[in-house]
Amino acid sequence: MEIPPRQFLILMAFSLCLHLNVGSVRSLCLEDQHLSLLKLKKTLIFDPASSHKLISWNSSTQCCSWLGATCSGSGHVIGLDLSDEGISGGIDSSSSLFNLHHLQSLNLARNSFNGTRIPSGLGKLANLRHLNLSNSEFSGQIPVEISGLTRLVSLDLSIEDPYEDPYVLKLENPNLSMFVRNLTRLTELHLQGADLSAAGRKWCRALSSLPQLRVLNLADCFLAGPIDSSLAKLRSLSVIRLNGKNISAPVPEFLGNFSNLTLLDLKWCDLHGKFPANILQLPTLQSLDISINQLVHVFLPDFPENGSLQNLVLSETNISGMMPASIGNLKMLSTMELPGCNLRGSIPNSIGSLANLLLLDLSWNQLSGSIPSLSMLKNLTDLDLSYNNLSGQISSINWENLSNLANLWLHDNLLEGTIPLSLFSLSSLKNALLANNRFSGQIGNFPVVSSSQLAELDLRSNSGTLELSIIQKLGNLSTLDLSYNNILVDDGFFGNNDFTSFPQLMELRLASCRLRKFPSFLKNQSTMLALDLSRNQIQGEIPNWISKPPLQWLNLSHNSLREVDASFRNFSSELILDLHSNQLQGDISHMMTLARYMDYSENRFSSVIPANIGRIPRGSQIQTFTEDSFKDNKGLCGTPLKDCGSDVQPPSTVPTSKGNNSNNGTKIDWNLISVEVGVVFGLAIVILPLLFWKRWRIWYYTRVDRVLFRFFPRLNQRGRNRGRRAPRTRERRI
């Protein structure tokens, strides 16, 4: 029967109204659920400024419409997401939260429960499928009541950075085996950072009772090896994270049989033996990280075409042979980190076809030959080929095509020819380290764009020529090293020109640059932390403004300086000062009251060394001097040099408290200085938690060494005698 158009429209409108009415009825929250949530809000301590959900809950609206709450059709609350709400304190097991018996999903992640225990009342929520308490500062034994939540599909109790978080979760009673015995529906288990302290056979067999498990995250859980064959039963595993020390075993072959494997993270596990090549050939594998396992031997196989691999991180493993040309088959690759892997041979040209590559790090290897064309890598942001034996020119590389390049590290190679100006036209470039190569020719005016982000430029130890004044164009520059090059310095650099537009630098190194005077632009520098003007031809007097705070390192050694300005004392108490190998003369005592460390050797000072050098003058500051700090000053006497005789009393420069038994001439504690170096740079506070992660610890200490050795070359003599640094101490960058 055909329905007239008017009646059809009426029926449609009625149907729509009925549907909306049913929907509104279903959105009504039951009274007991409404009251339970209001009571929960009242008992929780949370930061209103951080809250986006709890802050909006009120009695005048239906709880099913509240942010963070999800209801079923019958009005029961089945989902509660209070993540990132600034909640602090704890949750009592009698909390009204545990009256929500229909709750299927509970998310309290990224709050601050300040080391309180996970509430045992969670065991009352028998319908829970998803429980997320990650990064919420719970501590202590994980309650046995959670093991009774037999409907759980995903459980996340992980700590993203367990070395930073002061609170630790434990599984002792129950242990892991007892805890997961009844959780047979689990597909995701995240316990990163929890203390499981189990041997390989025990934890592997415990997990083998979870047949549906797809995601396993037991990173930094104090697990020991070997990885038992019982784990092979988990054929559905897609994500495996076991990174952290103590595995101390080979990688089992059966991992290559996991046909669904997409991510495998075994970094820093003390692995050894041969890495199964079939894992690298898994068509599903998207991310592999076995870095910092120096005893693992990896053979790079022929990669299949159109592989899924996106992240390949093999840093500090031992790769046999050369990199295969089939690496170009990994079209999805975005990250390739292979530093310190003993790679030999040339870089395959096929790398230039990996258009999705964002980060390429092949540093600290033994690669030779030229750098292949990279013009197709338009997404590349980080390129590190440093510490290799690469040769040839880089002028033929179409740098202008790398429009997203932010960090370029080509230092410590055998590269030659001219440095292409197209590099400096990249508005995205922030760090360019080209030091210790064989570049030559004159670097003319940079084609600097107005949006240039260049912050660090290192052209040290090449043989090129550069006009120092062109640096004035790089407004964002903070670190500059032009040492051991041919620098053309125009007269204006020492005159009274306006240098207010000159970039405010934090580090400046102009060692061995044929300077005859102190550059005047330094007077306008207010952020300088480190300055190296050593091995030049600077004559006359050291001006007082050269050492103004916040300067922390000053190296003026190997010049022809004769005098020190009488007010040359306005420097930081943390200053490390190197004045050795000059022609300085006069009284030394007035210059020794403030600095952390000084080297006055090989000068013409003729006074008495203060008696209490090396004691603790103020708080925790320790002045460090040795005999080498004063040697070859014929007129100097006193500890730690020759005795001045009974008629001469060495002056005192610092107050000495009673009972101070410190010895004069204290030896330099380089470990102490090395730590203080990081503080000076402002790095210690920022990355101290990261120092527990070896990769960042390597970066930190090598950065400190790099600064010390560049500013004070004499400290590097021992390092030079030991030869080239091992890859494990290579510099890492943020």
Side-chain angles (χ1 to χ4, degrees), residues 119-132:
S120 59
L122 287 168
K124 300 176 184 179
L125 304 178
N127 288 300
L128 270 185
R129 270 81 163 166
H130 307 279
L131 177 59
N132 188 348

Side-chain angles (χ1 to χ4, degrees), residues 528-548:
M528 190 79 74
L529 294 176
L531 176 62
D532 184 357
L533 300 178
S534 64
R535 297 185 182 277
N536 281 290
Q537 301 156 28
I538 303 175
Q539 302 178 7
E541 183 182 67
I542 301 177
N544 64 334
W545 50 261
I546 200 69
S547 61
K548 62 185 178 181

Side-chain angles (χ1 to χ4, degrees), residues 67-118:
L67 292 175
T70 304
C71 292
S72 67
S74 58
H76 291 99
V77 177
I78 59 173
L80 193 59
D81 183 354
L82 297 179
S83 58
D84 297 293
E85 281 293 284
I87 301 173
S88 58
I91 297 179
D92 190 86
S93 290
S94 61
S95 170
S96 62
L97 169 65
F98 307 120
N99 295 331
L100 304 173
H101 298 298
H102 291 79
L103 204 60
Q104 298 178 17
S105 177
L106 175 61
N107 188 349
L108 298 176
R110 297 178 299 280
N111 285 293
S112 302
F113 291 100
N114 297 322
T116 58
R117 299 294 181 94
I118 296 175

Side-chain angles (χ1 to χ4, degrees), residues 339-365:
C341 292
N342 199 34
L343 272 173
R344 301 174 183 270
S346 59
I347 302 174
N349 291 330
S350 57
I351 277 186
S353 65
L354 301 177
N356 289 307
L357 209 56
L358 299 175
L359 186 154
L360 176 59
D361 187 350
L362 302 177
S363 61
W364 287 100
N365 284 293

